[in-house]
Amino acid sequence: MKNSILQLIVFLFFTILIAESIHASSAINYYSITTSEGLPSNTVGAIKKDSSGFIWLGTRQGLCRFDGCEIKTYPALSEDDIWSIEELDSDTLLIGTVSSLKYFSRKANTTVKLELPATIVKTIQKISENQFLAGTEAGLYLISNHTPRQILLETGLSSCNHITSIIREDKNIYWFSTADGLGRIDIRTMKPVIYRMPENISNSNFFICLTRIGNHIYLGSFNKGIFRFDMSEKKFSKVDGFEHNLIMTIDWQDNKLFVGTNGQGLKIMSLEDGSIKVVSHKEKAKNSISSNTITSFLYDNGICWVGTQFGGVSYTPRIGAKFSFYNKSDFYSTDYRVRSFYMFPNSDKLIGTRTGLFYVQEKTGKVRQYTIENRTSNLRSDIILYINRISDKVLVATYGGGIHIFDEKSLSLKDLSQEELFLYGCIFHFTQDAKGNLWFASQNGLYQSTPDGIF
């Protein structure tokens, strides 16, 4: 009896550990780009990094490029619902849309449509600068010098002609997921082979995405989870932890499997111990991903790019990097354009943004905001350009509101003097010379004053 109770306790203990490993949320901060930042649509179906380092986003309403600061859109593709992007050469991007495949010239900002049957182009895989594979809902195509050739799989009516994703093994061998099996093709012989799972593993072979890790291919399925295919043994096996998940995207890096799901967020599985972390959208949590329906994913040198349905794209700082976003209580620095910053000896902070000044008390976590709307703050401009200490004063320079002294005891703002520049000027920088005089760089030139702000 005692042995039975002990076995039950051990079983329950490990069950809790496994559950915690699966449901633990990632502590990594995510920053989101949506239509508010310039995206043409909040549904992002494709993400591609080009050879120049730009991030290209395919949305439901066109193509855009992110350079790390700004979103650029392209009118030539503004009406296209984009599902896939591939870089063909230094100028051309291949764009798979809901009804066609287009060549897009980044230099000329023009498109050329490839003559294919009207169907969704779900995946594109480059072979060389004049040859590539395109997977569509109506078949697999080899395109050479703008000329398409369909590769029939089994009978032309077979569901395996619905291609969902393509990956490259080497320059001749390519693998692809289909609505009815896993495919392999050697482009030298052009003879495809389809592999299917036996009934005792799964009664469905509808695969949506795939990635290769060594001698294994991992396949995301439609509502059946993830399966692993041994390329040597030609055998399938089930991957635990993803049962009944509709898998939208799958990728791997750094010994981790990144799995985008429909409705359950991004799941990250360790390939070492099988533990799973869940990255999900939380309504009241800042810096979480923007939606739990993941439609595209890119892992780029430690940065996760997560394309979503209705939530735009979310991305992280580098995973494992030494930097993280500064947050305190209800103040999240990622919500603001921070223009200036000053730290007191006790680690309290003055943070200047385009929407006001913030004072953060590190020990208590209290945050005080100074804005034009709050007239008792005495601030005359919400755009804070520069903050620094000059002798015994902490000065706060603004755009169009002159300069203030920050009183460290009362935590209030006071005027330096009644000179017009210090009341209404645009002051970008200031310093003090060896004689104690103050120098101010302003929109109207360089000014010198006494320590008390008298010209």
Side-chain angles (χ1 to χ4, degrees):
M1 181 68 178
K2 290 182 178 179
N3 287 337
S4 298
I5 293 174
L6 180 61
Q7 289 174 356
L8 178 60
I9 292 173
V10 171
F11 172 76
L12 290 173
F13 175 74
F14 281 103
T15 300
I16 291 170
L17 285 180
I18 292 170
E20 287 181 348
S21 72
I22 290 177
H23 295 291
S25 294
S26 171
I28 297 172
N29 287 324
Y30 282 79
Y31 182 77
S32 294
I33 304 172
T34 65
T35 51
S36 299
E37 287 73 39
L39 278 185
S41 166
N42 279 332
T43 296
V44 179
I47 307 174
K48 176 70 178 180
K49 182 180 179 181
D50 70 13
S51 55
S52 298
F54 293 111
I55 299 295
W56 294 84
L57 305 170
T59 79
R60 183 166 287 179
Q61 295 178 343
L63 179 72
C64 54
R65 188 192 75 183
F66 183 57
D67 62 7
C69 295
E70 296 180 338
I71 292 289
K72 180 178 180 180
T73 57
Y74 295 86
L77 291 156
S78 61
E79 307 248 329
D80 289 298
D81 182 353
I82 297 173
W83 285 61
S84 52
I85 305 171
E86 176 67 298
E87 184 175 29
L88 187 61
D89 54 42
S90 60
D91 177 38
T92 307
L93 290 181
L94 301 169
I95 309 296
T97 79
V98 74
S99 61
S100 65
L101 190 150
K102 296 181 178 181
Y103 295 82
F104 172 64
S105 169
R106 285 168 283 183
K107 296 176 182 177
N109 286 337
T110 57
T111 63
V112 175
K113 184 177 179 180
L114 181 69
E115 292 302 323
L116 284 178
T119 185
I120 301 176
V121 180
K122 291 190 169 181
T123 178
I124 308 169
Q125 178 65 57
K126 175 182 173 179
I127 298 173
S128 66
E129 289 196 351
N130 58 10
Q131 194 174 50
F132 60 92
L133 289 166
T136 78
E137 283 194 340
L140 178 66
Y141 290 84
L142 175 68
I143 294 92
S144 301
N145 296 314
H146 291 244
T147 302
R149 170 190 171 186
Q150 185 172 10
I151 305 167
L152 288 177
L153 307 174
E154 299 181 340
T155 68
L157 299 177
S158 171
S159 298
C160 64
N161 285 280
H162 175 171
I163 312 300
T164 55
S165 187
I166 305 172
I167 60 171
R168 174 177 179 149
E169 179 180 343
D170 58 38
K171 66 178 182 179
N172 297 311
I173 309 297
Y174 295 83
W175 294 81
F176 51 93
S177 55
T178 82
D180 188 23
L182 169 67
R184 177 188 183 275
I185 188 167
D186 186 329
I187 60 171
R188 293 169 297 187
T189 62
M190 299 302 291
K191 294 181 179 180
V193 179
I194 302 295
Y195 300 94
R196 294 185 176 90
M197 295 184 288
E199 287 281 338
N200 64 328
I201 295 179
S202 176
N203 59 3
S204 172
N205 284 279
F206 195 140
F207 299 122
I208 295 176
C209 49
L210 75 168
T211 189
R212 179 189 171 206
I213 307 175
N215 197 45
H216 291 90
I217 293 175
Y218 286 76
L219 298 124
S221 72
F222 186 84
N223 206 35
K224 296 291 183 179
I226 294 177
F227 299 89
R228 181 171 44 236
F229 179 77
D230 188 312
M231 298 164 65
S232 299
E233 300 293 330
K234 304 295 187 293
K235 292 181 179 179
F236 290 91
S237 58
K238 191 172 183 62
V239 177
D240 293 332
F242 300 93
E243 292 76 10
H244 308 298
N245 285 193
L246 199 166
I247 311 300
M248 304 290 286
T249 68
I250 191 167
D251 196 4
W252 81 281
Q253 287 289 338
D254 296 342
N255 220 21
K256 297 183 182 71
L257 192 68
F258 296 86
V259 180
T261 72
N262 186 343
Q264 298 186 44
L266 177 70
K267 297 188 175 183
I268 306 174
M269 186 180 80
S270 168
L271 295 173
E272 294 179 349
D273 59 18
S275 62
I276 298 172
K277 292 183 179 180
V278 181
V279 179
S280 60
H281 172 68
K282 297 177 178 60
E283 288 294 334
K284 296 183 180 180
K286 292 283 187 177
N287 302 325
S288 67
I289 60 173
S290 51
S291 169
N292 284 327
T293 298
I294 313 301
T295 48
S296 52
F297 179 84
L298 172 68
Y299 186 91
D300 170 41
N301 294 322
I303 300 176
C304 289
W305 296 88
V306 185
T308 73
Q309 185 175 27
F310 308 132
V313 62
S314 300
Y315 68 95
T316 65
R318 293 186 185 276
I319 294 177
K322 295 181 180 179
F323 296 93
S324 61
F325 294 121
Y326 175 76
N327 303 318
K328 199 69 174 181
S329 299
D330 293 331
F331 175 79
Y332 298 88
S333 65
T334 52
D335 290 341
Y336 303 94
R337 302 292 187 230
V338 177
R339 300 294 299 269
S340 51
F341 170 74
Y342 177 77
M343 183 182 292
F344 293 93
N346 65 354
S347 296
D348 288 355
K349 298 171 182 64
L350 277 176
I351 302 170
T353 75
R354 291 184 60 86
T355 52
L357 177 71
F358 293 86
Y359 176 72
V360 181
Q361 291 180 310
E362 283 298 320
K363 288 185 178 180
T364 64
K366 293 182 179 179
V367 179
R368 184 169 182 173
Q369 185 177 11
Y370 305 80
T371 64
I372 293 179
E373 289 184 1
N374 181 7
R375 294 185 179 181
T376 60
S377 72
N378 296 324
L379 195 66
R380 288 182 293 271
S381 170
D382 284 338
I383 302 177
I384 314 301
L385 298 178
Y386 185 62
I387 310 170
N388 207 350
R389 180 182 292 277
I390 297 293
S391 298
D392 61 340
K393 301 183 183 74
V394 175
L395 301 183
V396 179
T398 73
Y399 187 89
I403 198 161
H404 299 276
I405 298 173
F406 181 79
D407 189 306
E408 298 173 57
K409 293 183 179 180
S410 65
L411 305 183
S412 61
L413 296 174
K414 301 178 180 180
D415 293 331
L416 176 62
S417 79
Q418 296 302 302
E419 297 284 355
E420 185 175 354
L421 174 70
F422 299 143
L423 293 177
Y424 307 110
C426 300
I427 299 173
F428 301 105
H429 190 77
F430 52 80
T431 190
Q432 188 173 38
D433 64 23
K435 297 180 179 179
N437 295 314
L438 303 182
W439 293 81
F440 300 90
S442 80
Q443 190 169 3
N444 296 317
L446 183 64
Y447 288 80
Q448 181 193 36
S449 81
T450 66
D452 295 325
I454 306 301
F455 292 136

